[in-house]
Amino acid sequence: MIIKRLLLIAYFIFLTGIVSAAEGNADGDWTVINSSYATISVQNSVDLSNAVKKIDVDFAKYDPVEKKLFLDRGISDTGELAGKIDILVRKARKILDKYPSGFKINIKIYDKQEALNDIYQEIFEEEADHKAFYIHKFHTIYISLNNLSESVLAHEIGHAIIDAYFAIPPPPKIKELLACYVDLHLKD
């Protein structure tokens, strides 16, 4: 009985994320999508359908709580993107066994790698060519469409969870090891 109640509560939380995701609005050059764990900003020049296809969460279809996403094929691209991000967050939290309260992140998806490099240079005043990066101060993951994948997102979400969980963040090498651990065990 308790398991049924927990599944029902988890299902309701999942649907809440999908409903608010469907209410995503356009904000200038960005489409903003809200999920249970993230505010996802996607440049309007990004093909949302392509972005959704690049994030493979088939590993979650064997989890009774996550299975609903795979049965609901009629949801919009924005709803599916929000659902997939929430699946990745829940899986990363489970892998790390860290559940920071009130966890919510921002994710910005850029259309081109050059745009991602430009924002990195604007923030840090140095050049770089990262697949993605997370900035704790802004609680934001930055990624380009060509590097978008469940693996890269899970790694960056791992960084976000670690930074949110610990009052005193671990040393950078430990944080990187933990984020790599999330990526390594994502499909277990």
Side-chain angles (χ1 to χ4, degrees), residues 49-89:
S49 177
N50 186 25
V52 168
K53 289 176 188 168
K54 292 182 99 169
I55 304 170
D56 178 13
V57 293
D58 279 351
F59 61 84
K61 68 184 171 187
Y62 303 106
D63 184 322
V65 175
E66 307 295 359
K67 196 159 106 176
K68 177 66 178 150
L69 179 67
F70 296 96
L71 299 176
D72 256 348
R73 290 295 178 194
I75 60 176
S76 66
D77 286 338
T78 57
E80 192 169 353
L81 182 61
K84 286 183 172 187
I85 295 295
D86 284 348
I87 286 171
L88 290 174
V89 170

Side-chain angles (χ1 to χ4, degrees), residues 48-182:
L48 263 179
S49 177
N50 186 25
V52 168
K53 289 176 188 168
K54 292 182 99 169
I55 304 170
D56 178 13
V57 293
D58 279 351
F59 61 84
K61 68 184 171 187
Y62 303 106
D63 184 322
V65 175
E66 307 295 359
K67 196 159 106 176
K68 177 66 178 150
L69 179 67
F70 296 96
L71 299 176
D72 256 348
R73 290 295 178 194
I75 60 176
S76 66
D77 286 338
T78 57
E80 192 169 353
L81 182 61
K84 286 183 172 187
I85 295 295
D86 284 348
I87 286 171
L88 290 174
V89 170
R90 284 190 290 271
K91 181 69 176 192
R93 290 175 3 151
K94 184 177 179 181
I95 292 168
L96 291 169
D97 195 24
K98 303 288 179 246
Y99 302 89
S101 63
F103 182 77
K104 185 95 172 181
I105 56 172
N106 302 304
I107 300 173
K108 295 193 89 156
I109 303 173
Y110 291 85
D111 61 346
K112 295 182 173 42
Q113 182 65 38
E114 295 78 31
L116 184 66
N117 294 345
D118 290 345
I119 195 69
Y120 187 91
Q121 185 169 11
E122 184 180 314
I123 294 168
F124 294 105
E125 298 179 353
E126 63 182 59
E127 289 187 24
D129 190 26
H130 298 292
K131 286 183 178 181
F133 58 94
Y134 170 73
I135 300 177
H136 177 63
K137 179 180 177 182
F138 305 135
H139 305 286
T140 303
I141 294 170
Y142 300 84
I143 190 167
S144 65
L145 179 63
N146 58 325
N147 290 314
L148 186 65
S149 71
E150 68 284 353
S151 175
V152 174
L153 277 173
H155 179 94
E156 298 303 329
I157 289 167
H159 280 295
I161 291 168
I162 293 160
D163 284 346
Y165 183 79
F166 293 103
I168 299 172
K173 287 184 180 181
I174 300 298
K175 291 193 319 188
E176 191 60 33
L177 280 171
L178 290 170
C180 288
Y181 186 78
V182 171

Side-chain angles (χ1 to χ4, degrees), residues 21-54:
E23 297 170 355
N25 58 347
D27 179 26
D29 292 337
W30 297 87
T31 298
V32 179
I33 305 163
N34 292 302
S35 76
S36 298
Y37 299 106
T39 299
I40 309 152
S41 300
V42 183
Q43 276 190 324
N44 286 339
S45 51
V46 168
D47 176 9
L48 263 179
S49 177
N50 186 25
V52 168
K53 289 176 188 168
K54 292 182 99 169

